[in-house]
């Protein structure tokens, strides 16, 4: 139904039509075959309601297999039928926009200051996401080409040590309650997706439940301000640089502007991941890839500038973009070691055990200044 709705309008952007033309080939080719060519590359579109409300184990297993196959071959999936109401997402966007419109001096009152907490406001240019783990190299990248975005980071609000940073209620009325409700909503979706992954990996459906129930997640509100195209044309510059995510899953809610690109794991070329109304983009992160002994891909991705509005004979201005990312993490004391169904005599474990906290905090400490 979604594909039919999108295809019914002749004014749809070409990249969306291209994506949907690829979906029409699903009956004739496999995902593994399609992703080996840039011309047929696709991110699978999965109706997750069939898992959430399934009346039989076989139906749940069918969807679980589709999700696991998507993470094996691409590292990304689109989910419809995820259960989060459009009005809920729209309200989060509204409150996020109200926050970012505040004066810099007000937002700086809740500035991000500690990778262990990972909470607060991050101004434009302070973050430089990258695959590098070298502090000197990251500092040089940040100086030369910082990410052209600002963000607000929110964690679990009841943490006994690390507290969220909230402005006064009068600054953005309803902001705190809106974000905390959405945090819980995303956590619940994450739990169900992880149950589907467990089934797809031949584990008990509740295998991950007690390893991800403490909600050590990060809700990130993102604002990409308009920027002159000449600034984005400089070497190494991007709205958000090439990177993979750190945790288990990322739930990404895109606005209509677009700009997300995903690396084809086979050709190493970046392909658009256009916004599809009503969907959540879900990708596997580094810890889930490590947990699965690289059965899953933690795929590189980036955010580039969409088509710009011409403002002179020599340049243009990109539109403002909003997105909402929910970074799902295991419990911080969870030991991440290869899952029993992902190792055997011919495929031994590739990684030593590590706790979530050791991995996440180390990556965050190198990312920010």
């Amino acid at each position: 139904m979604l594909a039919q709705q999108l295809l019914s309008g002749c004014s749809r952007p070409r990249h969306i039509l291209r994506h949907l033309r690829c979906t029409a080939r699903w009956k004739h080719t496999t995902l593994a075959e399609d992703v080996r060519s840039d011309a047929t590359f696709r991110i699978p579109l999965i109706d997750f309601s069939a898992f959430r409300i399934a009346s039989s184990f076989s139906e749940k297993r069918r969807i679980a297999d589709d999700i696991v196959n998507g993470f094996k071959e691409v590292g990304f999936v689109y989910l419809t039928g995820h259960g989060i109401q459009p009005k809920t997402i729209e309200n989060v966007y509204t409150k996020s926009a109200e926050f970012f419109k505040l004066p810099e001096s007000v937002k700086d009152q809740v500035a991000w200051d500690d990778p262990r907490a990972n909470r607060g406001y991050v101004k434009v240019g302070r973050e430089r996401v990258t695959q590098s783990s070298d502090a000197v190299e990251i500092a040089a990248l940040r100086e030369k080409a910082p990410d052209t975005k600002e963000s607000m980071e929110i964690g679990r609000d009841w943490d006994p040590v690390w507290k969220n940073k909230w402005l006064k209620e009068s600054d953005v009325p309803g902001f705190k309650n809106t974000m905390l409700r959405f945090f819980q909503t995303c956590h619940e979706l994450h739990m169900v997706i992880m149950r589907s992954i467990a089934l797809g990996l031949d584990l008990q459906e509740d295998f991950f439940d007690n390893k991800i129930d403490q909600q050590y997640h990060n809700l990130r509100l993102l604002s990409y301000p308009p920027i002159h195209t000449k600034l984005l044309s400089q070497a190494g510059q991007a709205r958000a640089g090439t990177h993979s995510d750190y945790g288990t899953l990322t739930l990404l809610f895109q606005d209509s502007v677009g700009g997300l690109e995903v690396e084809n794991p086979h050709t190493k070329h970046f392909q658009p991941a256009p916004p599809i109304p009503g969907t959540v983009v879900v990708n596997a992160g580094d810890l889930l890839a490590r947990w699965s002994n690289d059965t899953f891909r933690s795929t590189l991705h980036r955010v580039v500038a969409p088509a710009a509005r011409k403002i002179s004979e020599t340049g243009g201005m990109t539109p403002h973009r909003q997105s909402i990312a929910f970074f799902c993490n295991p419990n911080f004391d969870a030991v991440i070691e290869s899952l029993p169904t992902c190792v055997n005599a011919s495929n031994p474990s590739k990684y030593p055990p590590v706790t979530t906290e050791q991995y996440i905090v180390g990556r965050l400490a190198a990312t920010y200044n």
Side-chain angles (χ1 to χ4, degrees), residues 227-264:
I227 186 171
H228 201 287
T229 51
K230 69 179 181 181
L231 297 177
L232 286 173
S233 65
Q234 297 171 4
Q237 185 70 64
R239 278 189 151 181
T242 300
H243 64 285
S244 60
D245 295 336
Y246 305 156
T248 47
L249 298 173
T250 300
L251 314 180
L252 178 67
F253 304 83
Q254 302 191 77
D255 68 5
S256 61
V257 173
L260 176 66
E261 292 188 342
V262 173
E263 185 183 69
N264 183 327

Side-chain angles (χ1 to χ4, degrees), residues 100-369:
F100 287 116
K101 287 177 181 176
L102 292 170
E104 197 80 14
S105 59
V106 176
K107 292 181 288 189
D108 281 342
Q109 294 173 18
V110 291
W112 188 102
D113 58 12
D114 193 314
R116 295 168 296 175
N118 194 27
R119 287 159 164 82
Y121 170 67
V122 180
K123 65 183 180 181
V124 174
R126 189 175 182 192
E127 183 185 16
R128 201 348 168 147
V129 290
T130 173
Q131 287 306 99
S132 175
S133 59
D134 183 87
V136 174
E137 181 180 353
I138 293 172
L141 280 170
R142 187 186 298 113
E143 179 68 24
K144 180 180 179 181
D147 291 346
T148 53
K149 67 178 187 297
E150 55 183 338
S151 67
M152 179 62 182
E153 317 289 334
I154 299 165
R156 58 181 198 168
D157 204 46
W158 63 90
D159 194 284
V161 178
W162 308 112
K163 305 300 182 183
N164 281 320
K165 294 172 176 283
W166 302 110
L167 292 173
K168 299 190 299 291
E169 173 66 13
S170 58
D171 289 325
V172 184
F175 180 84
K176 178 179 179 179
N177 286 339
T178 297
M179 299 311 162
L180 291 183
R181 286 197 302 269
F182 192 65
F183 187 100
Q184 187 64 35
T185 297
C186 289
H187 167 70
E188 291 167 3
L189 174 58
H190 149 252
M191 291 282 289
V192 182
I193 298 173
M194 291 299 289
R195 288 172 187 159
S196 74
I197 289 170
L199 279 184
L201 291 177
D202 296 317
L203 299 164
Q204 290 294 320
E205 185 175 344
D206 63 355
F207 177 88
F208 293 108
D209 282 11
N210 65 358
K211 303 170 183 63
I212 59 174
D213 60 348
Q214 295 174 20
Q215 303 191 30
Y216 281 95
H217 312 310
N218 174 231
L219 172 61
R220 172 177 289 185
L221 311 176
L222 287 149
S223 175
Y224 298 81
I227 186 171
H228 201 287
T229 51
K230 69 179 181 181
L231 297 177
L232 286 173
S233 65
Q234 297 171 4
Q237 185 70 64
R239 278 189 151 181
T242 300
H243 64 285
S244 60
D245 295 336
Y246 305 156
T248 47
L249 298 173
T250 300
L251 314 180
L252 178 67
F253 304 83
Q254 302 191 77
D255 68 5
S256 61
V257 173
L260 176 66
E261 292 188 342
V262 173
E263 185 183 69
N264 183 327
H266 298 282
T267 68
K268 306 304 179 184
H269 298 151
F270 280 91
Q271 300 295 323
I276 299 179
T279 66
V280 178
V281 179
V282 185
N283 64 281
D286 295 343
L287 277 180
L288 188 56
R290 185 173 180 136
W291 222 345
S292 70
N293 202 30
D294 286 341
T295 299
F296 291 161
R297 298 179 184 273
S298 181
T299 301
L300 294 175
H301 51 283
R302 65 187 183 186
V303 178
V304 299
R309 176 177 58 87
K310 186 176 180 180
I311 59 174
S312 70
E313 292 301 318
T314 59
M317 185 71 70
T318 66
H320 174 256
R321 177 180 186 261
Q322 275 188 280
S323 66
I324 306 160
F326 189 77
F327 297 101
C328 309
N329 296 316
N331 300 342
F332 262 29
D333 61 357
V335 177
I336 308 303
E337 54 188 339
S338 297
L339 297 167
T341 57
C342 296
V343 293
N344 54 47
S346 61
N347 184 36
S349 179
K350 300 176 183 179
Y351 305 101
V354 65
T355 67
T356 303
E357 183 174 24
Q358 288 170 335
Y359 188 86
I360 297 288
V361 172
R363 290 290 299 271
L364 286 169
T367 300
Y368 294 92
N369 64 7

